[in-house]
Amino acid sequence: MLLDLVFPRRCVVCGGDGETFCRTCDGALRRLQGPVCERCGAPTAWPVDRCRECSGRRIAFTHARAAVEYDESAKRLVGAWKERGQRSLSRIAAEIVDGVLARPDAYTLTFVPADDNRFLERAHNPAERLASELGRSWQLPVVALLRRKPGAARQRGLTLAERRRNVRGLFHATGPAPRAVVLVDDVYTSGATVAAAATALRKAGARRVEVVTFARAVR
Ligand SMILES: [Zn+2]
Ligand SMILES: [Zn+2]
């Protein structure tokens, strides 16, 4: 492509020449393929039903799974993905997810909607892009089922308790939800956002909400 000649491609993580995301950085991403908490997907020493992170909490999603640990490299990759909205990065993220996770047992994919006030991000909402790429890989339809209330405070910099309060009632469904839904987001940090989105889907009739994210914060 002509553009490649004008702007030589650089790896979004290490800055190396040649590829948007180089093989070395790809190999260094930590896939979450070991034992995890059955419920929230936190890596654990051995398989458990609930873990320290999620036990005692009422969470509306059935399971949450992520492909990679949200470490420095994953942060850079997701950062570039969000800021530049490169379609190729959505494809790369989806391929990694597809390589690590089995297709969840549900027939409809949906995604966490971007904040309506952030026009730039809405133009390339990574969650939506990832859902559409996964829909292609898993041959599942992608349906926009959720809307976000405008004007909510951002999650960054808040404590865990504040995050949960901040997102309560943040989402509502645009219509009836199918019984089983895969809910896609780019990153699982505290789980508060996907839990709030899952609550809205449950209120709209979903019985099972399977959360899939590209990356997950590991405490
Ligand atoms: Zn690299
Ligand atoms: Zn857990």
Side-chain angles (χ1 to χ4, degrees):
M1 237 177 92
L2 185 64
L3 269 177
D4 290 340
L5 297 174
V6 183
F7 302 105
R9 273 192 245 183
R10 289 183 178 284
C11 171
V12 296
V13 175
C14 71
D17 283 336
E19 292 167 287
T20 311
F21 182 53
C22 79
R23 239 167 254 207
T24 312
C25 291
D26 184 15
L29 280 185
R30 256 180 265 162
R31 267 79 171 164
L32 297 173
Q33 282 170 315
V36 294
C37 167
E38 174 67 14
R39 191 68 186 272
C40 77
T44 46
W46 52 82
V48 292
D49 288 338
R50 297 291 289 250
C51 70
R52 273 216 326 247
E53 218 180 294
C54 70
S55 67
R57 276 178 61 203
R58 287 184 55 193
I59 34 182
F61 56 77
T62 315
H63 304 103
R65 293 293 182 272
V68 303
E69 180 177 337
Y70 195 43
D71 59 9
E72 278 312 311
S73 305
K75 266 180 204 165
R76 284 198 190 176
L77 180 63
V78 171
W81 184 17
K82 277 192 176 170
E83 277 155 33
R84 305 179 210 169
Q86 279 163 313
R87 196 170 283 274
S88 59
L89 291 179
S90 308
R91 183 72 272 200
I92 287 165
E95 273 165 16
I96 294 170
V97 171
D98 190 30
V100 174
L101 304 178
R103 191 183 99 166
D105 184 19
Y107 296 101
T108 306
L109 287 175
T110 196
F111 52 88
V112 173
D115 189 332
D116 280 343
N117 291 333
R118 280 140 53 202
F119 290 109
L120 261 178
E121 286 185 36
R122 190 177 53 171
H124 46 77
N125 175 12
E128 183 173 354
R129 287 276 179 87
L130 180 59
S132 90
E133 293 291 348
L134 286 173
R136 215 164 300 163
S137 308
W138 290 340
Q139 306 221 302
L140 293 176
V142 181
V143 184
L145 293 171
L146 294 166
R147 200 159 284 156
R148 185 191 285 252
K149 261 191 222 153
R154 303 195 69 159
Q155 291 287 80
R156 191 174 293 175
L158 301 180
T159 68
L160 220 55
E162 286 168 342
R163 277 168 183 253
R164 286 183 196 138
R165 258 200 309 279
N166 190 39
V167 294
R168 203 168 288 160
L170 182 58
F171 301 100
H172 66 90
T174 51
R179 284 185 69 82
V181 188
V182 184
L183 173 65
V184 177
D185 204 0
D186 51 354
V187 182
Y188 182 112
T189 40
S190 68
T193 303
V194 286
T199 300
L201 292 169
R202 295 280 298 268
K203 279 187 189 155
R207 289 288 152 266
R208 253 174 345 97
V209 179
E210 304 287 350
V211 172
V212 167
T213 62
F214 168 66
R216 189 194 199 288
V218 173
R219 276 176 269 276

